[in-house]
């Protein structure tokens, strides 16, 4: 009997009781290797003493102050450290407690920026199909994923969706990657023109598409060309780095690898590494100065923005990443994981594509490798993979609707940054038979 309203209301949940590096332990003593860091969160694993000690120290000193009245040393130090980690041009931190919350804040910052700038008519947001930016009304309204929107569609503010950058499915055989990037940038340009350039507030995109399509990195040049189009029309570019940020792809922000500085970037998940709920909007100086010289305050705020204990956790996470040089490990283990997956699954008849950046990796499953035909959504292959992996002591993050929002399956791997070669081997050794078992169980001929 439970009084907790869990997400799944018909399924009993195992009870997690402890953690040991990249492993979670349940109440029966069973150990699970966490190849997804929960949902891309626990980047330091489940027993990072540097973070739990920092939290304990902070709660003894001062747990919380109201952000309308005070700042704290720990919040200032956290913001300094975060700005130091991020590309030049993102010099301000608006802290929060979760990805969706901060994504809503970023949308409102864009609206307020244009309003202060004498362009209050810029109210439209353009994002991409197959995207996920969060479950609050604002964040969901710019999310392109059909399944996640479905139930709430009529209540969502209208936004505009264009094509994602999905090379495996959408680049034509006769097209170079550069030409494909240019085609997508042209699509954004045409859409802004169609909407009326002075009505568009911002373009929103995940730097690496995460949970809804299984780690799809952009093609080279894609974001550079997209940013050029945004600049041409005075449209802000909001990078959703909630999953891909904080070191997950081998640089602190993934967008650094695309040679672009967004106007706003949102980070969450790995920021507090799961030890505290923590997120942040990274804001360019242009936006802050415009608001500072206008109304002088951001028309938005939550009770827990700038929470001292969460900031202590965030600071300790950044320090741990730096001291242990974990971004090097992310790059090395990410490359190794892709190699091992290719060795083991590269010729599998139902593995269509293995891709990723750093330790954000996707395996896309297909009915037919030649045609890339996905499995039907109702087959729920992803769910069977999750169950088969769970039974083997592997936590992974399978998803559905990969191909078009309804059909298709993938497995997302986003293990903690602290993994070593043995952990990579264990993950691949447990994933491969889980995929085969799920295919057999759900019937190969769907
Ligand atoms: C890319 C992306 N954006 C936004 C969110 C929403 O963040 P949260 O669940 O912390 O509200 C997620 C969560 O999975 C995400 O992966």
């Amino acid at each position: 009997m439970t009084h907790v309203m869990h997400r799944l209301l018909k399924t009993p949940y195992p009870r997690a009781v402890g953690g040991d590096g990249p492993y979670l332990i349940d109440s029966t003593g069973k150990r699970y290797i966490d190849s997804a860091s929960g949902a891309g969160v626990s980047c330091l694993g489940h027993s990072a003493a540097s973070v739990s000690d920092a939290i304990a120290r902070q709660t003894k000193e001062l747990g919380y102050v109201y952000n309308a009245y005070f700042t704290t040393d720990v919040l200032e130090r956290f913001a300094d450290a975060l700005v130091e980690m991020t590309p030049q041009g993102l010099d301000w931190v608006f802290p929060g407690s979760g990805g969706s919350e901060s994504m809503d804040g970023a949308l409102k910052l864009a609206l307020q920026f244009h309003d202060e700038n004498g362009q209050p008519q810029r109210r439209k947001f353009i994002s991409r199909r197959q995207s996920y930016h969060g479950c609050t009304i604002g964040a969901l309204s710019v999310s392109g994923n059909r399944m996640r929107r479905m139930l709430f569609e009529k209540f969502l503010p209208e936004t505009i969706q264009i094509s994602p950058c999905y090379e495996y499915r959408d680049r034509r055989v006769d097209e170079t990657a550069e030409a494909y990037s240019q085609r997508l940038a042209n699509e954004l340009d045409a859409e802004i023109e169609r909407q009326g350039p002075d009505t568009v507030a911002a373009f929103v995109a995940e730097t690496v598409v995460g949970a809804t399509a299984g780690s799809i990195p952009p093609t080279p040049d894609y974001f550079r060309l997209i940013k050029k189009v945004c600049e041409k029309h005075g449209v802000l570019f909001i990078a959703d780095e909630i999953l891909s940020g904080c070191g997950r792809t081998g640089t602190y922000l993934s967008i650094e690898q695309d040679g672009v500085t967004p106007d706003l970037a949102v980070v969450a998940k790995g920021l507090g590494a799961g030890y505290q709920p923590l997120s942040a909007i990274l804001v360019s100086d242009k936006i802050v100065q415009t608001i500072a010289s206008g109304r002088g305050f951001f028309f938005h705020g939550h009770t827990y923005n700038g929470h001292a204990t969460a900031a202590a956790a965030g600071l300790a996470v950044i320090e741990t990443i730096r001291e242990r040089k974990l971004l090097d490990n992310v790059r090395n283990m990410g490359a190794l994981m892709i190699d091992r997956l290719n060795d083991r699954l590269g010729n599998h008849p139902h593995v269509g594509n293995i891709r990723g950046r750093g330790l954000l990796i996707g395996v896309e499953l297909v009915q037919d490798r030649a045609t890339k035909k996905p499995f039907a959504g109702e087959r729920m292959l992803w769910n069977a993979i999750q169950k088969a992996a769970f039974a083997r002591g592997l936590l992974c993050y399978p998803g559905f609707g990969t191909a078009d929002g309804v059909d298709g399956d993938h497995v997302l791997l986003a293990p903690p940054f602290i993994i070593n070669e043995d952990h990579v081997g264990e993950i691949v050794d447990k994933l491969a038979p889980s995929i085969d078992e799920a295919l057999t169980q759900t019937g190969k001929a769907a």
Side-chain angles (χ1 to χ4, degrees):
M1 172 63 189
T2 177
H3 291 285
V4 178
M5 185 180 164
H6 294 289
R7 273 199 203 192
L8 301 177
L9 295 171
K10 294 179 179 171
T11 311
Y13 280 67
R15 207 163 279 227
V17 296
D20 175 17
Y23 294 91
L24 265 181
I25 303 160
D26 75 13
S27 55
T28 68
K30 180 172 171 180
R31 289 165 72 86
Y32 304 79
I33 187 157
D34 189 356
S35 76
S37 302
V41 173
S42 305
C43 59
L44 299 182
H46 297 283
S47 53
S50 57
V51 186
S52 43
D53 289 350
I55 291 169
R57 278 196 305 275
Q58 186 60 44
T59 52
K60 281 184 194 152
E61 197 179 303
L62 181 65
Y64 165 80
V65 292
Y66 183 34
N67 55 51
Y69 300 153
F70 288 104
T71 187
T72 55
D73 275 346
V74 71
L75 176 60
E76 298 294 331
R77 285 170 54 218
F78 164 60
D80 290 348
L82 185 51
V83 167
E84 232 171 83
M85 295 298 275
T86 54
Q88 267 208 322
L90 291 171
D91 299 330
W92 298 86
V93 174
F94 189 87
S97 310
S100 308
E101 172 198 315
S102 285
M103 183 51 68
D104 272 23
L107 300 178
K108 286 164 97 177
L109 258 177
L111 292 172
Q112 187 172 342
F113 166 76
H114 289 304
D115 189 85
E116 306 277 6
N117 242 348
Q119 294 194 297
Q121 79 287 355
R122 283 190 184 265
R123 324 283 320 141
K124 293 180 184 169
F125 289 98
I126 301 179
S127 58
R128 305 184 302 180
R129 293 188 291 279
Q130 288 296 82
S131 58
Y132 180 59
H133 298 293
C135 65
T136 49
I137 296 301
L140 191 59
S141 76
V142 289
S143 299
N145 186 268
R146 281 156 61 189
M147 296 300 269
R148 296 191 192 218
R149 296 173 63 95
M150 193 175 57
L151 200 60
F152 311 102
E153 193 73 64
K154 290 197 177 122
F155 189 62
L156 297 177
E158 224 173 276
T159 62
I160 302 125
Q161 272 77 53
I162 61 169
S163 302
C165 182
Y166 193 173
E167 189 177 14
Y168 169 64
R169 288 198 173 273
D170 295 344
R171 175 155 77 87
R172 297 181 195 130
V173 280
D174 61 347
E175 198 174 37
T176 62
E178 289 72 24
Y180 174 53
S181 302
Q182 187 63 61
R183 172 158 64 88
L184 294 173
N186 292 348
E187 184 185 341
L188 176 63
D189 194 27
E191 189 57 48
I192 294 174
E193 291 286 358
R194 208 170 70 82
Q195 295 294 331
D198 67 345
T199 67
V200 180
F203 173 68
V204 188
E206 289 160 85
T207 312
V208 176
V209 181
T212 53
S215 183
I216 307 181
T219 44
D221 266 359
Y222 171 77
F223 277 116
R224 197 181 55 74
L225 295 168
I226 286 283
K227 181 80 193 315
K228 231 165 105 181
V229 171
C230 290
E231 279 169 3
K232 174 176 151 195
H233 295 294
V235 169
L236 298 177
F237 170 38
I238 303 175
D240 180 344
E241 293 252 0
I242 289 167
L243 176 61
S244 62
C246 303
R248 167 118 334 260
T249 67
T251 45
Y252 195 73
L253 293 188
S254 182
I255 198 84
E256 292 170 49
Q257 295 174 49
D258 302 291
V260 166
T261 305
D263 300 293
L264 294 152
V266 183
V267 288
K269 298 197 184 257
L271 192 60
Y275 291 86
Q276 286 284 292
L278 183 62
S279 61
I281 314 170
L282 301 165
V283 193
S284 61
D285 196 51
K286 158 180 92 175
I287 294 177
V288 173
Q289 296 312 336
T290 301
I291 294 176
S293 58
R295 288 187 179 84
F297 64 94
F298 179 26
F299 231 98
H300 173 83
H302 292 268
T303 302
Y304 290 133
N305 290 146
H307 196 290
T309 309
L315 179 60
V317 171
I318 291 173
E319 284 170 348
T320 306
I321 288 174
R322 276 176 169 164
E323 279 160 20
R324 295 180 57 184
K325 298 192 176 11
L326 288 176
L327 297 192
D328 293 344
N329 200 50
V330 169
R331 288 190 290 271
N332 294 337
M333 291 302 113
L336 182 71
M337 178 86 85
I338 292 273
D339 281 351
R340 295 275 171 90
L341 286 168
N342 275 322
D343 288 349
R344 192 70 181 265
L345 295 168
N347 292 318
H348 191 290
H350 297 294
V351 172
N353 191 223
I354 296 167
R355 58 197 175 222
R357 209 181 240 190
L359 280 175
L360 186 55
I361 292 170
V363 177
E364 180 164 342
L365 298 144
V366 290
Q367 253 191 84
D368 184 315
R369 277 163 69 105
T371 62
K372 303 181 184 174
K373 184 179 180 199
F375 287 107
E378 62 259 28
R379 178 168 168 156
M380 290 180 63
L381 176 63
W382 64 279
N383 190 246
I385 296 173
Q386 188 184 3
K387 286 185 176 147
F390 208 86
R392 285 182 170 77
L394 171 69
L395 301 175
C396 54
Y397 192 179
F400 57 96
T402 317
D404 57 5
V406 178
D407 294 330
D409 309 81
H410 64 264
V411 179
L412 187 73
L413 299 172
F417 303 171
I418 55 169
I419 57 163
N420 60 31
E421 283 187 35
D422 291 342
H423 298 131
V424 171
E426 183 178 348
I427 290 167
V428 176
D429 284 348
K430 288 183 169 168
L431 179 63
S434 304
I435 290 174
D436 285 331
E437 184 184 322
L439 282 162
T440 308
Q441 242 181 36
T442 57
K444 261 189 184 134

